[in-house]
Amino acid sequence: MPELDLERVLHGLKTGFIGRSLVYRPSVASTMDLARQEAETGAPEGTVVLADAQTAGRGRYGRVFISPAGVNLYPSIVLRPETEHLRWTGIIAALAVARATEEVTGLHPRIKWPNDVLLERKKYCGILVETDFTGTRPQYSIVGIGVDVNVDVSDYEEIAEIATSPAMLLGHPVSREDLLAALLNHLERLYLQVRRGESVLDEWRARMDTLGKEIRARTPHTVEEGTAEDVDADGNLILRRADGSTVTIIAGEVTLRA
Ligand code: BTN
């Protein structure tokens, strides 16, 4: 399996700061941890930490993120968002992945609230945002983006039924370099948009697969069931229960009900 061609990534970059500092390792435990070290030692905003493989890739809720060499993308990006924009960091990452996938492959991804990216109802990208809150304001966020690009998920029993990759759907490999460059280009555009106070809500809502579906939402405190009705201006999910009442889900994990 070829390693990532960083020259080709740089060639496709049209950004001012995201990806202009690039840290690459053939293999790391998790790019999240290396990106945190970089952030702690003053890495500029937009630093991207990349690895061809991760030996301890992690997802939300302490899950393992399967990270084989040579097939996928595992960037972690150092951002320093304002507190009021923190909420949008994972959302714009999902939008950037969706836009980049569309641009490079012609496929049309959807988003599962809040920021899983899906193709044909199966997940091919997960996003993990970890923010350092020491001091009076958040110091930095690490935005970890795991994209299944060329992996054949049937090789991995744990995800064989629930995940997919663009290459599996297209029947041919996809350039990881072109996808990564497009992803970083879109991420910077969206990040600047949010920083200017412009909403990304309309695009996110339009790409949302969850709305109108019967779902179960697990929050840190409860499990709620009902119809996913809408997202509000803050990105929260509005769920209508069977008794007609509504509940606002701020954070949690959504699954479809059979
Ligand atoms: C999820 O689906 O729960 C989130 C998955 C996030 C995976 C990415 S891969 C790059 C970065 N490094 C990690 O260890 N995790 C994130």
Side-chain angles (χ1 to χ4, degrees):
M1 293 283 182
E3 272 195 25
L4 271 166
D5 177 352
L6 295 185
E7 283 302 316
R8 182 160 170 170
V9 177
L10 292 173
H11 185 72
L13 270 192
K14 297 179 193 139
T15 57
F17 63 100
I18 292 188
R20 292 299 163 190
S21 159
L22 202 65
V23 176
Y24 175 76
R25 302 276 187 279
S27 177
V28 287
S30 164
T31 57
M32 299 295 292
D33 298 333
L34 189 50
R36 174 178 295 117
Q37 283 171 28
E38 292 288 324
E40 294 280 351
T41 51
E45 180 167 55
T47 296
V48 175
V49 174
L50 264 183
D52 196 48
Q54 299 184 119
T55 54
R58 60 176 185 269
R60 283 169 302 155
Y61 310 107
R63 293 194 189 117
V64 168
F65 190 81
I66 298 170
S67 311
V71 281
N72 294 333
L73 289 170
Y74 316 112
S76 285
I77 301 144
V78 178
L79 294 177
R80 303 185 194 276
E82 298 294 327
T83 309
E84 78 241 52
H85 300 148
L86 269 181
R87 175 122 193 104
W88 297 99
T89 310
I91 292 170
I92 61 170
L95 283 176
V97 171
R99 285 185 184 184
T101 306
E102 226 157 54
E103 194 175 302
V104 173
T105 69
L107 296 168
H108 298 292
R110 307 278 293 158
I111 292 174
K112 179 163 84 86
W113 186 91
N115 51 25
D116 282 347
V117 197
L118 315 178
L119 283 167
E120 298 192 356
R121 302 264 148 81
K122 290 183 174 180
K123 178 166 165 174
Y124 76 102
C125 168
I127 288 155
L128 179 65
V129 181
E130 293 179 352
T131 299
D132 178 89
F133 283 103
T134 51
T136 50
R137 59 175 294 271
Q139 301 299 305
Y140 58 82
S141 290
I142 307 298
V143 185
I145 307 177
V147 192
D148 287 344
V149 183
N150 290 318
V151 68
D152 180 348
V153 298
S154 63
D155 291 342
Y156 302 91
E157 203 184 321
E158 313 89 297
I159 56 168
E161 297 301 319
I162 54 170
T164 191
S165 66
M168 288 181 75
L169 298 174
L170 292 167
H172 61 76
V174 171
S175 162
R176 291 186 293 159
E177 291 82 0
D178 293 355
L179 189 61
L180 178 61
L183 193 173
L184 299 177
N185 291 339
H186 284 294
L187 184 64
E188 181 167 302
R189 264 176 237 150
L190 288 156
Y191 184 64
L192 293 174
Q193 188 178 335
V194 168
R195 210 155 74 176
R196 288 193 300 268
E198 295 168 19
S199 174
V200 296
L201 189 66
D202 288 348
E203 182 182 348
W204 185 51
R205 188 192 270 123
R207 289 191 185 272
M208 183 106 28
D209 198 55
T210 315
L211 300 183
K213 304 259 164 64
E214 292 300 308
I215 60 157
R216 177 173 296 120
R218 279 174 210 284
T219 78
H221 313 290
T222 55
V223 177
E224 294 281 354
E225 290 187 347
T227 312
E229 199 160 85
D230 202 357
V231 283
D232 70 15
D234 295 321
N236 305 312
L237 184 67
I238 314 292
L239 186 146
R240 188 166 295 277
R241 299 184 180 111
D243 67 6
S245 62
T246 59
V247 57
T248 301
I249 311 289
I250 297 166
E253 188 174 38
V254 161
T255 46
L256 288 185
R257 287 196 292 150

